[in-house]
Amino acid sequence: MNVFPAVFALPLALLFAAGAHAQAPTGAPAGTTGLCKDGSYTSAEAKRGACRGHQGVKDWYAANAAPAAKSDGAGAGARASSSAVPAATPAAAPSGSTGLCKDGSYTDADSRKGACRGHKGVKEWYGASVAAAARPAAPPVPPPAAAPSMPAAPPATAAPQPTTAPPSVRKPAEADPADRAAAPGGGAGKVWVNLETKVYHCPSDRYYGKTKQGEYLSEAEAKAKGNHAAHGKACTP
């Protein structure tokens, strides 16, 4: 039994199938993987379901035809990945359209999820809604009102310092006239007249002849001049 043809038959068949795909025409959009029967192009990664809603696939340009043979779960994942890329909004779409539903209607929903609910799901998604971008922004929140400023406290005044009276200057005590030496010229029969006080002193008096201003007179002469005896006591009886 010749095993060689059986071993290499499958790889050769896959290689032939890959080479059998047509080339994308020059005017096709970048990333085009197939041409649908209604004349529109598709960029789906898998041929299976690529032109759903467009009458099926007419020509397939992609080299990786293998994903088309994968299970439905893998194909659904590929379709979801392909549809996640936003498509260009067609010129005929209403202003603000964000997607095309499978029943041919357009949606302006902000989110793809649930955008075509009740319209057989999302067929093509164009991205964020233009209408949503044009919505008025929320008014800015005004800043909280500033608390009223408290009046500044008056500057503290310094307490008045107690004034101290300058110390009184004491006059030096005058020497006691009694300590002075008696003026010359005195003697018996004469009194000493203090010319400032008009008082005369007897010879036995301690101020006899010792006041600053004075003179010796007889007691009669002293009395005649208006002087009076010290302590009211006459020198002669």
Side-chain angles (χ1 to χ4, degrees):
M1 180 178 180
N2 191 355
V3 183
F4 182 82
V7 173
F8 294 98
L10 182 59
L12 289 175
L14 294 176
L15 182 60
F16 178 78
H21 295 294
Q23 296 296 324
T26 305
T32 298
T33 57
L35 174 65
C36 299
K37 293 181 179 180
D38 61 356
S40 61
Y41 292 99
T42 178
S43 59
E45 295 180 359
K47 181 176 181 179
R48 183 174 181 180
C51 288
R52 184 173 298 171
H54 294 272
Q55 302 177 10
V57 176
K58 179 179 180 181
D59 291 324
W60 185 249
Y61 310 133
N64 55 340
K70 293 183 180 180
S71 62
D72 291 342
R79 289 192 299 273
S81 175
S82 175
S83 59
V85 179
T89 306
S95 176
S97 296
T98 57
L100 174 64
C101 301
K102 293 181 179 179
D103 62 357
S105 61
Y106 289 96
T107 177
D108 60 356
D110 294 340
S111 174
R112 177 189 178 95
K113 186 176 181 179
C116 288
R117 185 172 298 170
H119 295 272
K120 301 181 181 181
V122 176
K123 180 180 179 181
E124 292 180 359
W125 184 250
Y126 309 133
S129 174
V130 178
R135 291 174 186 169
V141 180
S149 58
M150 300 297 293
T157 56
Q161 298 295 328
T163 57
T164 55
S168 59
V169 180
R170 295 182 180 180
K171 295 181 180 181
E174 295 183 358
D176 191 353
D179 296 335
R180 299 175 184 171
K190 291 186 178 181
V191 295
W192 176 258
V193 179
N194 188 339
L195 299 179
E196 291 181 348
T197 61
K198 297 293 184 179
V199 175
Y200 65 87
H201 300 275
C202 301
S204 60
D205 194 296
R206 60 193 299 258
Y207 293 109
Y208 185 77
K210 297 180 179 181
T211 61
K212 286 184 178 182
Q213 295 181 2
E215 64 180 344
Y216 290 111
L217 296 172
S218 66
E219 188 172 7
E221 290 175 337
K223 289 181 180 179
K225 291 183 178 182
N227 300 299
H228 60 275
H231 308 295
K233 293 181 180 181
C235 297
T236 59

